[in-house]
Amino acid sequence: MGNDDLVTTRLETLVNFFREKGVNWARKNSLWPMPFATACCGIELMATGASRYDVARFGAEVMRFSPRQSDLLICAGRVAIKMMPVLQRIYLQMAEPKWVISMGACASTGGVFDTYAVVQGVDQFLPVDVYVPGCPPRPETLIEGIMAIQRLVEKEGIRPSAEREKGMRHVVQPTYQLTMPTAAE
């Protein structure tokens, strides 16, 4: 009698633990990004997927070009006013929960293109979760942005993007240091 209760309680505890922690762990290590690259940031995005930086270490190497199979939108480069409805439609078609990375100065603020034809930041029409600074940002910075999304997924759990409203608005700080070669090198 007592042993059955103990086994049931432990099983429930195990199931609850997996439900709370295991799903988030699996989700954070299997992000499926959808690239939306329009400019030079797209080249850095491609370099991130190459063998030198190997984004596969973080489980985000499966770039999907179908929004229904993606849960992470990486918007790299400037967005023209004419592209804005297309990007909104892509975001709406993505699976829930979904996250957005704004990669580069042009995607985050319009960059040097302060014109009537360029959107001055994708956060004006998308809920951006992580901003990756730089013009263009290096692959290490984008990887740090992906890791920031992983930390959000682990911490926030399964919250649909509508509950998060305007996104998380985290800004990634680059963790790498540029070193100058010495005379001996």
Side-chain angles (χ1 to χ4, degrees):
M1 173 170 112
N3 288 339
D4 292 341
D5 292 341
L6 182 64
V7 170
T8 304
T9 304
R10 286 187 178 177
L11 185 60
E12 285 178 9
T13 304
L14 185 64
V15 168
N16 288 338
F17 177 77
F18 181 75
R19 187 178 300 149
E20 291 173 9
K21 303 292 182 186
V23 172
N24 291 339
W25 178 84
R27 180 170 279 133
K28 86 169 197 178
N29 289 307
S30 62
L31 293 170
W32 287 16
M34 166 138 192
F36 190 85
T38 59
C40 44
C41 287
I43 303 299
E44 297 295 329
L45 177 61
M46 286 187 265
T48 306
S51 59
R52 180 174 184 150
Y53 296 101
D54 192 20
V55 76
R57 295 176 288 160
F58 307 100
E61 81 276 14
V62 183
M63 293 284 177
R64 293 294 180 180
F65 296 97
S66 168
R68 290 181 175 87
Q69 299 174 343
S70 305
D71 57 1
L72 172 63
L73 176 65
I74 300 175
C75 186
R78 61 186 172 270
V79 177
I81 296 282
K82 286 187 173 183
M83 285 188 254
M84 188 173 67
V86 174
L87 189 55
Q88 282 179 320
R89 179 172 296 165
I90 288 171
Y91 177 76
L92 292 174
Q93 290 177 345
M94 289 173 56
E96 285 284 350
K98 52 193 168 188
W99 297 272
V100 177
I101 291 179
S102 175
M103 178 181 176
C106 293
S108 299
T109 64
V112 296
F113 303 101
D114 190 11
T115 66
Y116 66 93
V118 175
V119 175
Q120 300 300 303
V122 294
D123 58 353
Q124 294 181 4
F125 61 92
L126 289 179
V128 174
D129 293 301
V130 171
Y131 295 92
V132 175
C135 183
R138 299 230 350 122
E140 295 93 344
T141 314
L142 178 59
I143 288 174
E144 180 62 28
I146 291 172
M147 291 170 64
I149 291 288
Q150 286 181 323
R151 288 189 292 270
L152 291 175
V153 170
E154 188 173 31
K155 188 174 71 178
E156 291 293 321
I158 307 169
R159 284 182 54 196
S161 59
E163 284 183 19
R164 297 193 321 259
E165 295 177 10
K166 294 282 187 177
M168 300 296 177
R169 298 181 179 255
H170 289 272
V171 177
V172 169
Q173 299 297 324
T175 57
Y176 63 93
Q177 296 287 326
L178 291 177
T179 57
M180 297 298 292
T182 60
E185 293 179 328

